Amino acid sequence: MKKWKIGLAGVAIGVLLTTPVFASVYKVVQAQLMHDVLFSINGKTAGSPSNQPVLNYNGYIYVPVRFVSESMDWEINFDPITKKVMITAPEPEVIEKVVEKEVEKIVYVDRTDDPDYVVYNKLPVTIYKDGYQITLRMVMMDDEEGGGVKRTRTYLTVENTDVDKIGLMPYEAKLTLDGVEYDVSNSGGGRWDDVWNNNIYQDEDQEGYILFNGVDHDYSKGSLEFQMRTNDGSGDVIDDIKFDFKK
């Protein structure tokens, strides 16, 4: 079988674009018209129109560029002055893909819906009040007994951000672990850090602890309760503070 050489450009272009050329300027050649040639373009098979034939010249196959371009939805033009064939592919179609994603709906339960519902947060836990904030940083059991009684320290940080002065009142503090209540320590060696005997003024912060008796190392959740005294210049106000935490 004879193998033909194929070209997309050549003397056939000018003829097939149906644009007149100056025949006297160009060399006249002999070529074979091939009306039985089929094209497969993007999976579709068709033959070129009769006025746009396929040529066989000097062992090369010349195809009608207009037919091929228009079959691919390309724009084609010919400039007779510059002798330029201009083929322009269409702008690619942008297809916007919509992806639907299933989102898990989280329902938050308001504590006021159930008075017995309590959220236990892992330490450290911070409570924010008007003008100040308190953080329960750690609940630590003593490895050794002090004064004959094993004790537990609850470490706190108090920050005064916007009131004249505040004070932590540890006197009636209460620690509850897994439903068992423990009062503030009554043993020797101090019941709380001496820093709580002083006021904390605006833009100041203080760290300290409160001691409790008879607390086991093994617990899962608990609460710490005490009172804070605040004064914005118009008199003392007592706030009840309660931390709910888990180990």
Side-chain angles (χ1 to χ4, degrees):
M1 179 182 295
K2 184 174 182 179
K3 295 183 180 179
W4 299 100
K5 302 175 182 177
I6 298 176
L8 286 176
V11 294
I13 292 179
V15 177
L16 298 178
L17 287 172
T18 67
T19 303
V21 296
F22 301 100
S24 61
V25 178
Y26 299 106
K27 179 181 177 181
V28 178
V29 299
Q30 290 185 343
Q32 294 177 317
L33 297 179
M34 305 179 67
H35 297 288
D36 55 351
V37 175
L38 296 177
F39 294 82
S40 179
I41 301 175
N42 292 330
K44 296 182 180 180
T45 302
S48 63
S50 59
N51 64 338
Q52 298 184 49
V54 176
L55 301 180
N56 175 13
Y57 168 67
N58 199 25
Y60 287 89
I61 299 297
Y62 291 79
V63 301
V65 68
R66 179 174 295 280
F67 166 71
V68 173
S69 298
E70 292 179 347
S71 297
M72 301 175 67
D73 293 327
W74 291 6
E75 182 181 348
I76 181 168
N77 292 287
F78 178 69
D79 187 344
I81 297 176
T82 60
K83 307 296 188 296
K84 181 185 293 184
V85 178
M86 293 165 286
I87 303 174
T88 306
E91 291 291 333
E93 182 181 0
V94 178
I95 301 176
E96 184 176 350
K97 184 177 181 181
V98 179
V99 179
E100 294 185 0
K101 183 178 180 181
E102 185 176 348
V103 179
E104 180 182 359
K105 184 178 181 181
I106 302 176
V107 178
Y108 293 92
V109 179
D110 190 341
R111 291 190 186 193
T112 58
D113 295 339
D114 182 357
D116 296 326
Y117 180 78
V118 179
V119 176
Y120 293 91
N121 296 300
K122 193 170 183 179
L123 295 174
V125 181
T126 300
I127 292 178
Y128 298 91
K129 292 288 187 178
D130 290 338
Y132 67 96
Q133 64 187 52
I134 310 172
T135 300
L136 174 60
R137 296 184 290 113
M138 185 186 307
V139 176
M140 187 178 72
M141 286 68 177
D142 289 345
D143 290 332
E144 297 180 1
E145 294 184 355
V149 179
K150 197 165 193 174
R151 299 182 299 180
T152 294
R153 298 172 186 264
T154 55
Y155 286 90
L156 299 153
T157 298
V158 180
E159 298 180 50
N160 185 346
T161 57
D162 199 31
V163 291
D164 287 353
K165 58 184 178 180
I166 57 178
L168 189 148
M169 304 170 64
Y171 326 114
E172 297 181 0
K174 182 172 64 177
L175 180 66
T176 303
L177 297 179
D178 292 336
V180 180
E181 295 184 3
Y182 301 90
D183 293 327
V184 68
S185 173
N186 56 11
S187 64
R191 296 181 291 171
W192 51 77
D193 202 311
D194 290 340
V195 298
W196 305 134
N197 297 328
N198 304 315
N199 289 319
I200 305 169
Y201 294 93
Q202 186 173 350
D203 297 327
E204 292 183 350
D205 60 81
Q206 192 58 264
E207 296 181 358
Y209 58 84
I210 304 175
L211 286 171
F212 296 88
N213 289 334
V215 180
D216 241 342
H217 281 73
D218 188 20
Y219 74 93
S220 59
K221 60 185 179 182
S223 63
L224 173 64
E225 299 173 70
F226 54 88
Q227 291 182 321
M228 291 290 299
R229 182 183 66 254
T230 66
N231 191 319
D232 60 2
S234 60
D236 287 345
V237 176
I238 305 300
D239 293 332
D240 292 321
I241 305 297
K242 182 179 180 182
F243 289 95
D244 295 305
F245 60 91
K246 61 184 177 180
K247 197 168 185 179

